[in-house]
Amino acid sequence: MTQAVAVREPAQDAAGRRFERIQQLVEEYGASRSALIPILQKAQEEYRYLPEEILTFIATALDLPPSTVFGVATFYAQFSLEPVGKYVIKVCDGTACHVRKNQALISSLRSRLGLKEGQKTTPDMRYTLEIVSCIGACALAPAVVINDRVYGQMTADKMKAVLDEIERVEAAAAGDGKEEQ
Amino acid sequence: MTPTVIIDGTPVPVNGHRNLLELIRSSGVELPTFCYCSDLSVYGACRMCVVEVEGRGLQTACSTPPEDGMVVRTTTEATQRIRKMALELLLANHQGQCQTCDRNMRCRLQALADRLGVRRVRFEAPADRETQLDEGVALVRDPAKCILCGDCVRMCSEVQGIGVLDFAGRGSNVRVTPAFGRSIDEVECVYCGQCAAICPTGAITVRSAIDEVWKAIHDPARTVVVQIAPAVRAALAQHYGIAGGEHALGKTVTALRRIGFDRVFDTSFAADLTTVEEGAEFLRRRASGGPLPMFTSCCPAWVKYAEQFQPDLLGQLSTCRSPQQMFGALARKHLPADMGILPEDLYVVSVMPCSAKKFEAARPEFAQDGRPDVDAVLTTQELIRMIDQAGLKPAELPAGALDLPFGFKTGAGVLFGASGGVAEAVLRLLSGGRGRVEFREVRGLNGLKEAELEQDGRPVRVGVVSGFGNARALLEEIRAGLKSFDLVEVMACPGGCVGGAGQPWPADTGMRRERAEMLYDCDAVQPLHNAADNPFVSDCLERIGGSDRHAAHSLLHTGYRPRRRIDGQVIELDEKPPAARVPVSVCIGTNCYLRGSYDTLKRLMEAARREGLEEAFDFQATFCFENCKASPNVRVGEEIHGGVTPEEADEFFRSRLLPLADGRSCAAARE
Ligand code: SF4
Ligand code: SF4
Ligand code: FES
Ligand code: FES
């Protein structure tokens, strides 16, 4: 029921490499306006969202006004300018899920993750909580999707078990990382 | 047969009109529009210009090329319904209160709602509209009033070539905003205000200083003096229907005295002073081998543009302060003694055709002990409003005389208000001619004008550009060696200051041309035409330093610095930097990036890795350290090091970074 989790790398390498990747993309696609969308797509894969300073860097490299890059990044739904956690938890709020008391699930999730009103992502960038409209899994209501995997007939207890498992995997991975150093 | 379109039953020859809209307007039907401006590309989004074309149904006239034999009807049941509905949708989205809006009675949305007879709005406003007011030093954005016509977006990117504003978001969340929703003061805006001049509503306006100025006038302790810029008089003449710019100025002087200004001066005097200083500077540079071309420095939007986008040219900008700031410095230095008042009681106002002058007056270089040389800048529009508030009608007032000494000018000083005017004033000075030597090549509204003059047996080649799109193109040609000049005049606003954002609406091409012509007439009626002949300028130079060039220099000249385009952004290359590490930031702003700073960064990080010292440094990539002339730049701790090219990177690491890491690396090695 758990997912494979990449072993954590030494922090500064990961950050440096990601940024290097952006420069590689610019070289690969060429510094032209038509390269903007593919570069943004790849940049989002690297960072899981589009940080402002990366957008400014892309604008610099492509010789475009930052406002244009911001405009494109906010136009397409595929791009996110907000940080997205490593685990994206989508709770379905379609009619079927709603009548099956997903609200209780949502509030228990919020308090477990310590998310304040209006906050979607935990400060450690591990979880993002999204409330989405019908995901087409009404038979399994209330349904929750975590990184593309669907969990049906969720209860607060089942949810707790899933999160505990994720935490266990993460803790183990962090431990490995330390030993390596 | 000439191609002809039938408009409302009448045949109208196409006559080279680019689109149906212009053709229809030429036939006498004033089709309404929001998103059409003849100087910009066609956007076709507001739907106000819909017409019925036989066989094609409803079309937006602005985006339809006229074709021979087309049958067009402009006012039909359908076109009226659509226009009204489009307008209602705009009004539902527009959250403004006309009575308290800066554009009240001057708003195109208001005017069209009235003209089309909209009496109710059947739609609801979307709930999630951006409504945060953004008040900058020179401009105020009120997104709640924006109708998304995109005029400002196209103005800034097409005419000015900058692109500060763009659409962001989608669906009901679309908005027009600087990058990242930043405020206008945090981004690369140069405050030319052309976006405000074209905005049909009150969504972008020039920040008003009216309240501050009234306050100073009403304060009995204050002595309030005012300078009036050259271009202002032409707009006043138009606005009040007074024949002649100087005559309009004279009547306005009377109004200003009645309002309570203690002295009224003419910025054209300071413009003469600028001409003399700039001419001398030009000759010095020419004698000492450059660098040329020298660029003019009177337009504060151009100065900011150069600081942000052309830092390598900053050494070529004339060091002369603009006339506004020369006046400010002189007023502070001499007026308190001349008028027998305490220096702190002197309140200096300027009336400018310009929004960027508000930014200029607020620059820290132009303040002493925190007090700006110029306390408040009013636009022409604000001046007109104050005169209205006082209930005065300049057209009915007798003309008054300007005060001395800063009220006396030559015709050359008045030319500054039109594109080509600074160049012409300097050319006159260099020509040594006493009369009204005219340089017609630098006049008119063309984006680029050129002229040549023989001086001491050598040609002086002069280029004149207005609008940053034109300026950028010219600079590229100069860089590519395709054009070469000795002196280049740059103005932000198409046509020069006469088309500034502080002038009354509309600032269309016709109005700009008329204003420029009025200034040439003002020149003609002056007794003197060469700045060198202004006796008050010579007196003034004598008084501030005599032979001591240094004293004059510090008062009348200034310096420039590279300026970053967008505030505070850092790319962390180490996720959790321990505090003990040495912070190393490599600039990846445009200038440094173009000189290979990315590779510098990579090499420094590689060197650290090679030496096993990753832990000793905290690498970052940041934007512009405002030291672009020395690009590529690396900041270690607080200190900025220039010229760290990729080739220099290894040496730099050895000589500068390694020593800093030493203590730490030993510790690491022992472990
Ligand atoms: S003031 Fe000029 S530079 Fe600034 S956003 Fe408007 S048009 Fe662009
Ligand atoms: S700010 Fe003004 S010019 Fe710009 S899109 Fe909005 S209404 Fe149009
Ligand atoms: S003017 Fe034609 S659509 Fe706006
Ligand atoms: S771009 Fe300005 S210092 Fe690097």
Side-chain angles (χ1 to χ4, degrees):
Chain A
M1 144 150 214
T2 57
Q3 298 178 320
V5 177
V7 176
R8 231 178 116 108
E9 310 141 22
Q12 77 260 38
D13 275 5
R17 239 209 349 266
R18 271 194 206 152
F19 178 57
E20 194 171 329
R21 177 87 182 105
I22 306 296
Q23 168 69 11
Q24 277 167 8
L25 288 169
V26 172
E27 282 162 18
E28 222 168 275
Y29 286 94
S32 74
R33 167 82 214 235
S34 58
L36 179 57
I37 291 179
I39 291 178
L40 290 179
Q41 282 164 339
K42 297 275 172 33
Q44 169 138 320
E45 282 170 24
E46 283 303 319
Y47 285 85
R48 280 188 266 129
Y49 79 110
L50 294 170
E52 262 187 28
E53 58 279 9
I54 293 300
L55 292 177
T56 305
F57 175 70
I58 293 171
T60 306
L62 301 190
D63 192 21
L64 292 171
S67 67
T68 304
V69 175
F70 178 67
V72 170
T74 51
F75 180 79
Y76 294 98
Q78 53 173 307
F79 296 129
S80 169
L81 275 79
E82 301 278 319
V84 179
K86 183 166 179 184
Y87 298 90
V88 179
I89 306 174
K90 293 183 183 151
V91 182
C92 178
D93 197 27
T95 318
C97 294
H98 196 83
V99 297
R100 289 194 174 251
K101 310 220 162 30
N102 65 350
Q103 289 308 317
L105 198 59
I106 293 171
S107 47
S108 77
L109 258 173
R110 287 199 152 278
S111 67
R112 157 98 192 229
L113 300 178
L115 290 173
K116 290 193 234 44
E117 192 55 39
Q119 199 182 11
K120 281 170 63 182
T121 299
T122 55
D124 63 359
M125 294 284 288
R126 189 164 289 174
Y127 301 101
T128 294
L129 177 64
E130 286 177 7
I131 316 298
V132 297
S133 51
C134 185
I135 54 167
C138 306
L140 300 176
V144 171
V145 182
I146 303 181
N147 289 3
D148 298 333
R149 172 165 176 173
V150 182
Y151 298 81
Q153 283 145 7
M154 283 308 265
T155 59
D157 282 348
K158 276 173 146 182
M159 197 68 230
K160 178 175 181 303
V162 174
L163 290 180
D164 287 347
E165 180 60 17
I166 292 177
E167 285 301 315
R168 201 186 58 74
V169 174
E170 286 291 321
D176 287 353
K178 275 211 189 80
E179 275 154 38
E180 262 178 29
Q181 276 182 355
Chain B
M1 268 297 284
T2 53
T4 304
V5 172
I6 313 287
I7 298 173
D8 298 328
T10 311
V12 181
V14 171
N15 263 344
H17 285 289
R18 293 170 294 175
N19 53 55
L20 269 186
L21 174 68
E22 302 221 322
L23 184 66
I24 291 169
R25 284 189 168 170
S26 79
S27 80
V29 177
E30 186 54 33
L31 272 193
T33 56
F34 283 119
C35 71
Y36 183 77
C37 310
S38 54
D39 297 332
L40 303 177
S41 65
V42 172
Y43 184 45
C46 77
R47 321 240 114 215
M48 296 309 292
C49 67
V50 283
V51 294
E52 280 194 62
V53 179
E54 214 170 87
R56 296 203 212 169
L58 291 165
Q59 302 280 324
T60 44
C62 66
S63 51
T64 310
E67 284 167 27
D68 190 32
M70 255 183 182
V71 178
V72 177
R73 285 189 303 146
T74 61
T75 307
T76 66
E77 202 270 327
T79 62
Q80 283 189 304
R81 183 165 32 85
I82 287 180
R83 279 180 207 144
K84 225 168 169 168
M85 190 145 95
L87 202 47
E88 278 181 64
L89 278 167
L90 292 178
L91 287 169
N93 263 290
H94 175 87
Q95 298 165 18
Q97 276 209 310
C98 293
Q99 298 87 335
T100 52
C101 179
D102 194 63
R103 288 293 292 260
N104 189 22
M105 317 287 281
R106 297 169 196 77
C107 169
R108 261 160 63 206
L109 182 64
Q110 197 185 36
L112 277 190
D114 178 51
R115 194 180 125 191
L116 301 193
V118 178
R119 288 294 170 265
R120 68 199 168 101
V121 172
R122 289 165 294 177
F123 308 100
E124 296 256 322
D128 52 354
R129 268 207 65 132
E130 188 204 355
T131 52
Q132 185 61 45
L133 196 67
D134 171 15
E135 285 182 278
V137 279
L139 297 171
V140 179
R141 289 193 320 116
D142 188 350
K145 293 177 182 159
C146 174
I147 59 169
L148 303 175
C149 67
D151 289 353
C152 57
V153 172
R154 283 170 297 136
M155 174 56 83
C156 193
S157 73
E158 293 174 13
V159 174
Q160 300 300 45
I162 303 179
V164 171
L165 300 166
D166 208 338
F167 288 96
R170 61 210 190 95
S172 65
N173 191 28
V174 176
R175 59 217 183 267
V176 164
T177 171
F180 314 120
R182 292 290 184 93
S183 102
I184 197 87
D185 284 349
E186 294 169 331
V187 294
E188 73 275 40
C189 170
V190 299
Y191 305 119
C192 69
Q194 290 300 306
C195 51
I198 206 167
C199 178
T201 74
I204 309 181
T205 50
V206 178
R207 187 198 178 107
S208 166
I210 291 179
D211 293 347
E212 292 149 64
V213 174
W214 275 124
K215 200 164 156 236
I217 288 175
H218 295 321
D219 181 347
R222 300 264 196 197
T223 297
V224 185
V225 303
V226 59
Q227 58 168 324
I228 303 181
V232 174
R233 65 207 67 198
L236 291 173
Q238 281 174 333
H239 182 82
Y240 292 122
I242 302 171
E246 285 303 315
H247 196 47
L249 180 62
K251 286 168 175 281
T252 305
V253 169
T254 306
L256 291 177
R257 291 199 204 286
R258 299 229 340 220
I259 282 176
F261 286 96
D262 297 291
R263 293 278 191 284
V264 187
F265 298 114
D266 195 337
T267 311
S268 311
F269 162 83
D272 277 342
L273 184 55
T274 305
T275 305
V276 169
E277 283 294 299
E278 201 160 308
E281 179 184 6
F282 174 74
L283 292 177
R284 270 200 309 278
R285 286 185 187 230
R286 203 154 131 101
S288 61
L292 293 174
M294 183 174 93
F295 293 91
T296 57
S297 57
C298 340
C299 170
W302 156 238
V303 169
K304 188 169 190 257
Y305 182 90
E307 289 181 323
Q308 290 172 163
F309 298 102
Q310 312 285 346
D312 56 323
L313 294 181
L314 291 179
Q316 282 165 256
L317 254 64
S318 161
T319 57
C320 286
R321 294 186 184 190
S322 71
Q324 164 172 277
Q325 296 307 146
M326 283 199 182
F327 176 91
L330 287 176
R332 289 266 175 248
K333 186 157 170 73
H334 295 314
L335 290 182
D338 292 0
M339 299 174 74
I341 55 169
L342 291 172
E344 57 270 29
D345 290 339
L346 176 71
Y347 193 85
V348 181
V349 177
S350 20
V351 182
M352 295 283 142
C354 176
S355 45
K357 287 282 167 191
K358 298 193 180 227
F359 161 77
E360 182 182 57
R363 285 182 70 125
E365 300 89 312
F366 302 135
Q368 297 157 48
D369 306 323
R371 176 84 184 263
D373 287 347
V374 174
D375 289 296
V377 179
L378 295 168
T379 61
T380 314
Q381 289 186 41
E382 290 164 57
L383 174 69
I384 291 171
R385 198 160 298 179
M386 284 185 73
I387 293 173
D388 281 345
Q389 287 171 1
L392 295 167
K393 298 197 177 66
E396 293 164 18
L397 296 174
L402 291 150
D403 289 293
L404 292 176
F406 308 142
F408 186 88
K409 76 261 179 184
T410 72
V414 185
L415 300 185
F416 270 56
S419 159
V422 182
E424 185 162 352
V426 175
L427 283 169
R428 275 187 194 175
L429 183 94
L430 297 177
S431 76
R434 296 286 84 138
R436 184 154 55 95
V437 195
E438 294 192 348
F439 292 86
R440 298 208 157 252
E441 311 89 301
V442 296
R443 298 185 176 186
L445 289 178
N446 288 342
L448 169 65
K449 297 170 280 188
E450 299 178 42
E452 210 174 293
L453 170 86
E454 190 88 358
Q455 198 257 336
D456 282 344
R458 277 203 290 165
V460 179
R461 292 152 305 169
V462 175
V464 173
V465 271
S466 60
F468 291 123
N470 294 326
R472 186 175 170 161
L474 181 73
L475 292 174
E476 272 162 24
E477 287 188 308
I478 293 176
R479 286 213 167 88
L482 298 172
K483 282 232 152 77
S484 101
F485 293 104
D486 301 298
L487 180 68
V488 176
E489 176 198 298
V490 187
M491 296 289 162
C493 296
C497 312
V498 285
Q503 301 277 65
W505 290 284
D508 57 27
T509 309
M511 295 293 260
R512 289 174 204 230
R513 179 173 299 119
E514 192 179 296
R515 288 173 195 158
E517 256 140 39
M518 266 191 245
L519 295 185
Y520 293 115
D521 292 342
C522 291
D523 170 32
V525 302
Q526 298 305 316
L528 302 171
H529 306 281
N530 187 326
D533 297 337
N534 188 330
F536 292 91
V537 166
S538 331
D539 283 358
C540 169
L541 282 171
E542 189 58 35
R543 193 170 164 198
I544 52 181
S547 52
D548 179 6
R549 293 289 317 165
H550 190 74
H553 203 268
S554 64
L555 204 61
L556 303 178
H557 292 252
T558 183
Y560 312 103
R561 60 181 176 93
R563 195 183 272 273
R564 75 170 68 87
R565 297 173 199 175
I566 191 159
D567 275 354
Q569 292 185 325
V570 178
I571 299 174
E572 290 290 350
L573 301 175
D574 299 279
E575 267 164 10
K576 290 191 188 67
R581 287 186 190 167
V582 178
V584 178
S585 315
V586 177
C587 177
I588 49 162
T590 303
N591 294 285
C592 294
Y593 182 75
L594 289 177
R595 294 205 180 89
S597 66
Y598 178 79
D599 289 323
T600 300
L601 170 64
K602 214 169 135 187
R603 289 202 187 176
L604 292 178
M605 289 178 77
E606 270 164 20
R609 205 165 302 146
R610 234 182 5 248
E611 305 278 336
L613 290 172
E614 295 115 300
E615 295 296 315
F617 300 104
D618 169 21
F619 284 103
Q620 289 179 334
T622 37
F623 295 93
C624 197
F625 295 136
E626 309 195 320
N627 191 36
C628 317
K629 270 183 270 186
S631 298
N633 289 299
V634 177
R635 187 174 63 199
V636 182
E638 291 300 309
E639 199 183 342
I640 294 175
H641 304 268
V644 192
T645 58
E647 299 73 47
E648 293 292 317
D650 285 341
E651 176 51 31
F652 182 81
F653 184 83
R654 242 190 322 278
S655 61
R656 298 288 181 170
L657 297 187
L658 208 50
L660 297 175
D662 256 5
R664 276 171 266 252
S665 66
C666 296
R670 270 198 301 279
E671 263 171 32

